[in-house]
């Protein structure tokens, strides 16, 4: 019998693939499978891994799966928890002026509320867009996991319960943010924050409808020399 630490990996995005590949290349670790759909979760029950690791997985993991791994289920979240639980943390850090960062935490029955292993803050700038901040948050997730995985694997990590306060946003909130009301009044800074948060080429996010036509809006802000 192998002494390797057995893992089932959930999700896929750029950060998730980088963490997944790093684990696959690591001595003493055996990544049994990479799951991306809800239906594939049954393999966690079949394989009984020591850990489940999630990064970029888009489904809620049910309690009966969370209870299986002896070491627990870990998630990388591109938000500085308890701020920006849920969807699109990169956008809401800009719009709400909340701390940006990455969090490694244990998963529980709720969304992004489990005990925190570690957090890594990411600085922001008025020239940031949703895309540029997203890229730095992905880098922070990978760095955070690599830094703290050895202590988790050794059972030497310390955890902190999340405070009850914080912020949470659904995908619906993002969709509502994308629609610009031509009659809405707001401060210039607030408008620019909203537009740059939604700027994520090549995707069309912010839009306005005038005289039956839809127009998409991106912004580019440059610091003066």
């Amino acid at each position: 019998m192998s002494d390797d630490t057995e893992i089932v990996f959930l999700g896929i995005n750029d950060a998730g693939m980088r963490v997944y590949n790093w684990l696959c290349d690591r001595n003493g670790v055996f990544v049994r499978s990479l799951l991306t759909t809800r239906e594939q979760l049954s393999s966690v029950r079949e394989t009984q891994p020591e850990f489940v690791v999630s990064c970029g997985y888009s489904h809620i993991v049910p309690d009966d799966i969370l209870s299986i791994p002896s070491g627990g289920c870990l998630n990388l979240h591109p938000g500085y928890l308890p701020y920006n639980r849920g969807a699109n943390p990169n956008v809401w850090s800009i719009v709400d002026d909340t701390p940006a960062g990455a969090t490694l935490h244990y998963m529980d029955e709720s969304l992004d509320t489990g005990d925190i292993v570690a957090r890594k803050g990411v600085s922001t700038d008025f020239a940031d867009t949703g895309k540029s901040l997203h890229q730095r948050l992905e880098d922070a997730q990978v760095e955070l996991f690599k830094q703290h995985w050895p202590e988790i694997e050794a059972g030497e990590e310390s955890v902190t319960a999340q405070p009850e306060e914080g912020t949470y946003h659904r995908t619906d909130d993002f969709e509502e943010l994308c629609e610009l009301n031509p009659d809405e009044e707001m401060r210039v800074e607030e408008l620019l924050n909203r537009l740059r948060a939604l700027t994520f080429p090549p995707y069309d996010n912010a839009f306005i409808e005038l005289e039956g036509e839809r127009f998409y809006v991106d912004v580019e802000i440059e610091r003066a020399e």
Side-chain angles (χ1 to χ4, degrees):
M1 180 178 293
S2 172
D3 291 330
D4 288 352
T5 300
E6 295 194 357
I7 294 171
V8 168
F9 198 92
L10 307 183
I12 211 58
N13 56 17
D14 178 67
M17 182 59 78
R18 289 159 65 188
V19 173
Y20 170 77
N21 287 334
W22 184 80
L23 283 170
C24 288
D25 291 339
R26 186 172 174 83
N27 292 331
V29 170
F30 176 40
V31 182
R32 296 190 62 99
S33 55
L34 169 63
L35 313 181
T36 59
T37 70
R38 184 183 290 108
E39 291 72 23
Q40 293 171 323
L41 286 174
S42 60
S43 69
V44 177
R45 189 177 295 106
E46 295 163 4
T47 57
Q48 301 282 311
E50 187 174 347
F51 290 96
V52 163
V53 176
S54 171
C55 184
Y57 189 66
S58 57
H59 307 287
I60 295 176
V61 180
D63 291 353
D64 62 322
I65 298 297
L66 292 176
S67 63
I68 292 172
S70 57
C73 296
L74 290 154
N75 181 56
L76 277 164
H77 181 67
Y80 196 77
L81 296 177
Y83 300 101
N84 302 313
R85 298 180 179 115
N88 309 107
N90 58 314
V91 169
W92 297 107
S93 287
I94 295 173
V95 172
D96 294 338
D97 192 25
T98 47
T103 304
L104 178 61
H105 68 97
Y106 282 100
M107 301 165 70
D108 61 12
E109 66 279 1
S110 298
L111 189 63
D112 303 325
T113 58
D115 290 348
I116 293 172
V117 177
R119 299 184 295 181
K120 181 179 179 65
V122 171
S123 61
T124 59
D125 186 271
F126 187 68
D128 276 329
T129 63
K131 183 171 185 175
S132 65
L133 181 55
H134 173 79
Q135 291 170 335
R136 295 207 304 282
L137 291 172
E138 288 203 322
D139 290 342
Q141 289 176 85
V142 176
E143 294 167 9
L144 191 67
F145 188 86
K146 289 180 178 180
Q147 179 182 353
H148 291 278
W149 171 251
E151 63 193 43
I152 293 168
E153 191 176 22
E156 299 172 352
E157 82 281 11
S158 58
V159 298
T160 304
Q162 283 198 49
E164 292 185 4
E165 70 269 12
T167 59
Y168 168 78
H169 291 284
R170 303 168 301 162
T171 302
D172 291 349
D173 298 328
F174 173 79
E175 293 173 354
E176 292 174 8
L177 191 72
C178 289
E179 184 171 2
L180 304 172
N181 181 347
D183 298 320
E184 183 178 0
E185 295 183 3
M186 66 180 75
R187 296 171 54 247
V188 171
E189 183 180 6
E190 181 182 353
L191 175 61
L192 289 174
N193 286 343
R194 183 172 176 179
L195 293 177
R196 65 190 181 88
L198 293 172
T199 295
F200 203 119
Y203 300 103
D204 293 322
N205 290 326
F207 68 91
I208 188 168
E209 294 187 345
L210 298 169
E211 299 180 353
E213 289 191 87
R214 175 174 292 195
F215 301 89
Y216 290 102
V217 184
D218 284 344
V219 297
E220 181 177 348
I221 299 173
E222 295 184 6
R223 185 184 302 278
E225 295 296 335

